[in-house]
Amino acid sequence: MSLPAVSPAWLATGIALADAARPIARQYFRSRLAIDTKSDLSPVTIADQTIEAAMRKILADAHPDHGILGEEHGADRTDADYVWVLDPIDGTRAFICGVPTFGVLISLCYQGRPIFGIVDHPALGERWIGGIGLPTTWNGEPCHARACTKLADAYLFATSPDMFKGAQREAFARLETQVKERRFGLDCFAAGLIAGGHIDAMVETSLQPYDYCALVPVLEQAGATITDWEGKPLTIHSNGSIIAAATAELHGEILAALA
């Protein structure tokens, strides 16, 4: 499939979404919030809901013919060629604990393939943007994944060891013994650190499209590789298990370790 380049209009809309989300997140961060529990037992706050509502309003005005898939307010016209995928607070557990690595994830998919992504961290003031025809930037400056090719040299992150169950737990246990350093707990901030050349890999599972779609263009346009655990390209319909690595060679080593 030939993927379209990111248009100036889409870029402007994505930035408008991130700019709208950031002050709302900052307003509620480290405040005393009521925390509700969704049917999947994940937490949600008024910050998540308010941010997504604000972003949906912008999209309704800017691109009424596009679809939307959001974590908090569901799916709307997701059979459209162009679908915006929104995670108003990625890392809600970090957010409610006062940990500043939570992010806002924004992506545009074309026929199910992510073509444009923004990873924004309101509390830290850091923003990665990348897309087809749009090399990845960090706060407006070009950035690139570093040239790590060997597991023995790699700094690996995952959100939590508890996400891996059964065979996946055994596979991750094999992988973590082969890397230079294994750390947990950054949520989507780890993807930004790969794109910026600070760490080398992240492995996740049980994600939803709004958790990973924005990461795909940001990482790929920074020179990194990101796929599912079988090495297949990620789409809005993928199973939520992902491997991201700074280089194709390192990605191949991770695939082999997990197989």
Side-chain angles (χ1 to χ4, degrees):
M1 180 195 304
S2 178
L3 299 176
V6 177
S7 73
W10 301 339
L11 175 59
T13 297
I15 291 172
L17 296 175
D19 286 349
R22 187 177 280 194
I24 300 172
R26 286 176 170 173
Q27 172 191 346
Y28 288 110
F29 183 53
R30 293 181 179 167
S31 66
R32 298 196 179 278
L33 291 174
I35 302 165
D36 296 322
T37 301
K38 296 188 287 189
S39 59
D40 64 357
L41 303 182
S42 63
V44 63
T45 72
I46 190 173
D48 305 75
Q49 297 162 340
T50 303
I51 289 170
E52 186 170 321
M55 292 196 291
R56 283 175 174 267
K57 175 65 168 61
I58 291 169
L59 289 173
D61 293 339
H63 304 291
D65 55 329
H66 288 188
I68 303 174
L69 175 63
E71 180 173 13
E72 305 308 333
H73 298 294
D76 185 13
R77 300 184 306 279
T78 51
D79 58 344
D81 278 348
Y82 293 96
V83 176
W84 292 85
V85 183
L86 310 174
D87 192 345
I89 298 285
D90 181 79
T92 298
R93 290 179 175 87
F95 180 84
I96 62 180
C97 292
V99 179
T101 52
F102 72 91
V104 177
L105 299 181
I106 298 159
S107 67
L108 177 61
C109 294
Y110 172 71
Q111 295 184 359
R113 292 283 298 275
I115 60 171
F116 172 46
I118 296 180
V119 179
D120 189 73
H121 293 276
L124 299 172
E126 300 192 56
R127 180 179 296 175
W128 286 268
I129 300 177
I132 304 298
L134 192 70
T136 299
T137 58
W138 168 77
N139 286 358
E141 298 295 325
C143 65
H144 201 277
R146 62 186 180 186
C148 178
T149 60
K150 299 293 185 182
L151 277 177
D153 299 324
Y155 289 81
L156 168 71
F157 274 76
T159 295
S160 169
D162 297 333
M163 70 172 65
F164 303 110
K165 309 293 183 185
Q168 286 191 333
R169 180 182 289 274
E170 295 173 7
F172 187 80
R174 288 195 303 272
L175 173 64
E176 66 180 349
T177 64
Q178 300 179 54
V179 298
K180 183 173 185 177
E181 183 77 29
R182 179 267 290 137
R183 307 290 292 174
F184 296 107
L186 291 185
D187 297 299
C188 62
F189 194 56
L193 293 179
I194 295 172
H198 305 291
I199 65 173
D200 304 299
M202 64 185 292
V203 173
E204 306 280 347
T205 193
S206 303
L207 302 186
Q208 297 297 324
Y210 37 77
D211 296 315
Y212 63 78
C213 281
L215 311 185
V216 175
V218 167
L219 286 167
E220 289 182 342
Q221 297 307 311
T225 298
I226 178 170
T227 69
D228 68 11
W229 279 34
E230 296 180 352
K232 297 176 183 177
L234 292 168
T235 76
I236 205 169
H237 306 296
S238 294
N239 66 10
S241 295
I242 73 163
I243 300 167
T247 62
E249 294 87 350
L250 179 60
H251 181 271
E253 290 207 354
I254 295 172
L255 269 177
L258 292 174

